[in-house]
Amino acid sequence: MPQLWAGTDAGKSEHHCTVIDAEGERRLSRRVANDETTLLELIGEVLELSEGEPVTWAVDLNAGGAALLIALLAAHGQKVLYIPGRTVHHASGSYRGDGKTDAKDAYVIADQARMRRDLHPLQEQDEIAVDLRILTARRYDLTADRTRAINRLRAQLLEYFPALERAFNYSTSKAALVLLTGYQTPAALRRIGRSRLSTWLANRKVRNAQAVEFTALEAAQAQHTVIPGERTAAAMVRTLAAAVMALDEEIARTDALIEARFREHAHAAAITSMPGMGSLLGAEFIACTGGNLDAIGSSGRLAGIAGLAPVPKDSGRISGNMRQPHRYHRRLLRVFYLSAQVAARCCPTSRAFYERKRSEGKSHKQAILALARRRLDVLWALIRDQRTFTVEPPQRGLAAA
């Protein structure tokens, strides 16, 4: 059994580390800067206190500001446990005192690591999984920026040219965005005319240029009133349209990087063999799980992390009442939910399972969640056995051979 537990309340520029012994007594408590030299001094001091006995370290972050500390501890062969900040927050309520300080949080982290046996150690980071986590997070930001820009563009266009705002779906139509980079007002569209507008669009390689110019000029003919502020609003629309197109290009480049990096992972073939699991969802799965399922332990625990394992809500005489957990990994649930939706349409086996659940009285959402849970078990088995998905289950004799 370890003799010392070191809890670290991690921050951006500084950490607070508290070391306790088997009796819960503080042996060290101080704030340290988040730089390599200072952290190495801290590690050396704690190891000196342990006098050769093992030390268990615990942190409330598994990335971000704690990344350097975790890397240094791994380099020194130290065992590191991860305690989520939410867990620390709830646990701190059972300790004496209402105040909240970094020193108290660090003590709670160390004490929880000392008492609990259900905390899993942080595994060595998979380089590909880390890259995919960075790339998929960047893609999330880009898609959110794109949605925000399109909403702002439509709102701005609606203020002075509502006919053109409802003429196109700017989320999917690149041709409409190209049009807005050149012409944004009814007068400008009427002035250029049909033939010149069609040529202008064709020179920019717009598909269905004639249909686009017909729709745009029809909207221009429907409005001859000039709204106050039209010139400034039109300039803003032009800027937003160009920004959306630039975001589309960056999203495409990021998708290419994600796919190329994902294909290098050992589990890529098994993941993409599942119907409904493409490179993007597969990369998201690797990013969320770290690419190492051994650290998770079982498919049931993975289902609990993804929010696909119902939890009991019993009280008194009420028993057998199950509900979806409140705390789960939403991005991981999104991976299985979206892939299940696709598989329910394109995979006969998944479609049959979905239809059976619907015939049992389940709603569409309930049937998709049930399918997602079943597919999670299948994916776990594929990765465990290092094989790809087939409609027919493998024969036991051949598998054993």
Coordinates of all heavy atoms in Angstrom, one line a residue, residues 293-326:
L293 N -8.9 1.0 -25.0 CA -10.1 0.5 -24.3 C -9.7 -0.4 -23.0 O -10.6 -0.6 -22.2 CB -10.9 -0.4 -25.2 CG -11.5 0.4 -26.4 CD1 -12.4 -0.5 -27.2 CD2 -12.2 1.6 -26.0
D294 N -8.5 -0.8 -22.9 CA -8.1 -1.5 -21.7 C -8.2 -0.7 -20.5 O -8.5 -1.2 -19.4 CB -6.6 -2.0 -21.8 CG -6.4 -3.0 -22.9 OD1 -7.4 -3.7 -23.2 OD2 -5.3 -3.2 -23.5
A295 N -8.0 0.6 -20.6 CA -8.1 1.5 -19.5 C -9.6 1.7 -19.0 O -9.8 2.0 -17.8 CB -7.6 2.9 -19.8
I296 N -10.5 1.4 -19.9 CA -11.9 1.5 -19.6 C -12.4 0.2 -18.9 O -13.2 0.3 -17.9 CB -12.8 1.8 -20.8 CG1 -12.4 3.2 -21.4 CG2 -14.3 1.8 -20.5 CD1 -13.0 3.5 -22.7
G297 N -12.0 -0.9 -19.3 CA -12.2 -2.1 -18.6 C -13.3 -3.0 -19.2 O -13.0 -4.2 -19.4
S298 N -14.4 -2.5 -19.6 CA -15.5 -3.3 -20.1 C -16.4 -2.5 -21.0 O -16.5 -1.3 -20.9 CB -16.3 -4.0 -19.0 OG -17.0 -3.0 -18.2
S299 N -17.2 -3.2 -21.8 CA -18.2 -2.5 -22.6 C -19.3 -1.9 -21.8 O -19.8 -0.8 -22.2 CB -18.8 -3.5 -23.6 OG -19.5 -4.5 -23.0
G300 N -19.6 -2.5 -20.7 CA -20.6 -1.9 -19.8 C -20.2 -0.6 -19.2 O -21.0 0.4 -19.1
R301 N -18.9 -0.5 -18.8 CA -18.4 0.8 -18.3 C -18.4 1.8 -19.4 O -18.7 3.0 -19.2 CB -17.1 0.6 -17.7 CG -16.6 1.9 -17.0 CD -15.4 1.6 -16.1 NE -15.1 2.8 -15.3 CZ -14.3 3.8 -15.7 NH1 -13.7 3.7 -16.9 NH2 -14.1 4.9 -14.9
L302 N -18.0 1.4 -20.6 CA -18.0 2.4 -21.8 C -19.4 2.9 -22.0 O -19.6 4.0 -22.3 CB -17.4 1.7 -23.0 CG -17.4 2.5 -24.3 CD1 -16.5 3.8 -24.1 CD2 -16.9 1.7 -25.5
A303 N -20.4 2.0 -21.9 CA -21.8 2.4 -22.1 C -22.2 3.4 -21.0 O -22.9 4.3 -21.3 CB -22.7 1.1 -22.1
G304 N -21.7 3.1 -19.8 CA -22.0 4.1 -18.7 C -21.4 5.5 -19.0 O -22.0 6.5 -18.7
I305 N -20.2 5.5 -19.5 CA -19.5 6.8 -19.8 C -20.3 7.5 -20.9 O -20.4 8.7 -20.9 CB -18.1 6.5 -20.2 CG1 -17.3 5.9 -19.1 CG2 -17.4 7.8 -20.8 CD1 -15.9 5.5 -19.4
A306 N -20.8 6.7 -21.9 CA -21.5 7.3 -23.0 C -22.9 7.6 -22.7 O -23.6 8.2 -23.6 CB -21.4 6.4 -24.2
G307 N -23.4 7.3 -21.6 CA -24.8 7.6 -21.2 C -25.8 6.6 -21.8 O -27.0 6.9 -21.9
L308 N -25.3 5.4 -22.2 CA -26.2 4.4 -22.9 C -26.6 3.3 -21.9 O -27.2 2.3 -22.3 CB -25.5 3.8 -24.1 CG -25.3 4.8 -25.3 CD1 -24.5 4.2 -26.4 CD2 -26.7 5.2 -25.8
A309 N -26.1 3.3 -20.7 CA -26.5 2.3 -19.7 C -27.4 3.0 -18.7 O -27.0 3.9 -17.9 CB -25.2 1.8 -19.0
P310 N -28.7 2.6 -18.6 CA -29.6 3.2 -17.7 C -29.2 2.9 -16.3 O -28.7 1.9 -16.0 CB -31.0 2.6 -18.1 CG -30.6 1.3 -18.7 CD -29.3 1.5 -19.5
V311 N -29.5 3.8 -15.4 CA -29.2 3.7 -14.0 C -30.5 3.6 -13.2 O -31.5 4.2 -13.6 CB -28.4 4.9 -13.5 CG1 -27.0 4.9 -14.1 CG2 -29.1 6.2 -13.7
P312 N -30.6 2.9 -12.1 CA -31.8 2.7 -11.3 C -32.1 4.0 -10.5 O -31.3 4.8 -10.1 CB -31.5 1.6 -10.3 CG -30.0 1.6 -10.2 CD -29.5 2.1 -11.5
K313 N -33.4 4.2 -10.4 CA -33.9 5.4 -9.6 C -35.0 4.8 -8.7 O -36.2 5.0 -8.9 CB -34.5 6.5 -10.5 CG -34.9 7.7 -9.7 CD -35.4 8.8 -10.7 CE -35.8 10.1 -9.9 NZ -36.4 11.1 -10.8
D314 N -34.6 4.1 -7.7 CA -35.5 3.4 -6.8 C -35.6 4.2 -5.5 O -34.6 4.9 -5.0 CB -35.0 2.0 -6.4 CG -34.9 1.1 -7.7 OD1 -35.6 1.5 -8.7 OD2 -34.2 0.1 -7.7
S315 N -36.7 4.1 -4.8 CA -36.9 4.7 -3.5 C -38.1 4.0 -2.8 O -39.2 4.0 -3.4 CB -37.2 6.2 -3.7 OG -37.4 6.8 -2.5
G316 N -37.9 3.6 -1.6 CA -38.9 2.9 -0.9 C -39.5 1.7 -1.6 O -38.8 0.8 -1.9
R317 N -40.8 1.7 -1.9 CA -41.4 0.6 -2.5 C -41.3 0.6 -4.0 O -41.6 -0.4 -4.7 CB -42.9 0.6 -2.2 CG -43.2 0.4 -0.7 CD -44.8 0.5 -0.5 NE -45.1 0.3 1.0 CZ -46.3 0.3 1.4 NH1 -47.3 0.5 0.6 NH2 -46.5 0.2 2.7
I318 N -40.8 1.7 -4.5 CA -40.6 1.8 -6.0 C -39.2 1.1 -6.3 O -38.2 1.5 -5.8 CB -40.6 3.3 -6.4 CG1 -41.9 3.9 -6.1 CG2 -40.3 3.4 -7.9 CD1 -41.9 5.4 -6.4
S319 N -39.3 0.1 -7.2 CA -38.1 -0.5 -7.7 C -38.2 -0.8 -9.1 O -39.3 -0.9 -9.7 CB -37.9 -1.8 -6.9 OG -38.9 -2.7 -7.1
G320 N -37.1 -1.0 -9.8 CA -37.1 -1.3 -11.2 C -37.3 -0.1 -12.1 O -37.5 -0.3 -13.3
N321 N -37.2 1.1 -11.5 CA -37.4 2.3 -12.2 C -36.0 2.7 -12.8 O -35.1 3.1 -12.0 CB -38.0 3.4 -11.3 CG -38.3 4.6 -12.1 OD1 -38.5 4.6 -13.3 ND2 -38.5 5.7 -11.4
M322 N -35.9 2.7 -14.1 CA -34.6 3.0 -14.7 C -34.7 4.4 -15.5 O -35.7 4.7 -16.0 CB -34.2 1.9 -15.7 CG -34.2 0.5 -15.2 SD -33.0 0.3 -13.8 CE -31.5 0.3 -14.8
R323 N -33.6 5.1 -15.5 CA -33.5 6.4 -16.2 C -32.2 6.6 -16.8 O -31.2 5.9 -16.5 CB -33.8 7.5 -15.2 CG -32.8 7.7 -14.1 CD -32.9 9.0 -13.4 NE -32.0 9.1 -12.3 CZ -30.7 9.5 -12.4 NH1 -30.2 9.7 -13.6 NH2 -29.9 9.6 -11.4
Q324 N -32.1 7.5 -17.7 CA -30.8 7.9 -18.3 C -30.0 8.6 -17.3 O -30.5 9.5 -16.6 CB -31.0 8.7 -19.6 CG -29.7 9.0 -20.4 CD -29.9 9.8 -21.6 OE1 -30.9 10.5 -21.7 NE2 -28.9 9.8 -22.5
P325 N -28.7 8.4 -17.2 CA -27.9 9.1 -16.3 C -27.8 10.6 -16.6 O -27.9 11.0 -17.8 CB -26.5 8.4 -16.4 CG -26.5 7.8 -17.7 CD -27.9 7.4 -18.0
H326 N -27.6 11.4 -15.6 CA -27.4 12.8 -15.9 C -26.0 13.2 -16.3 O -25.8 14.2 -17.0 CB -27.8 13.6 -14.6 CG -29.3 13.5 -14.2 ND1 -30.3 13.8 -15.1 CD2 -29.9 13.1 -13.1 CE1 -31.4 13.6 -14.5 NE2 -31.2 13.2 -13.3

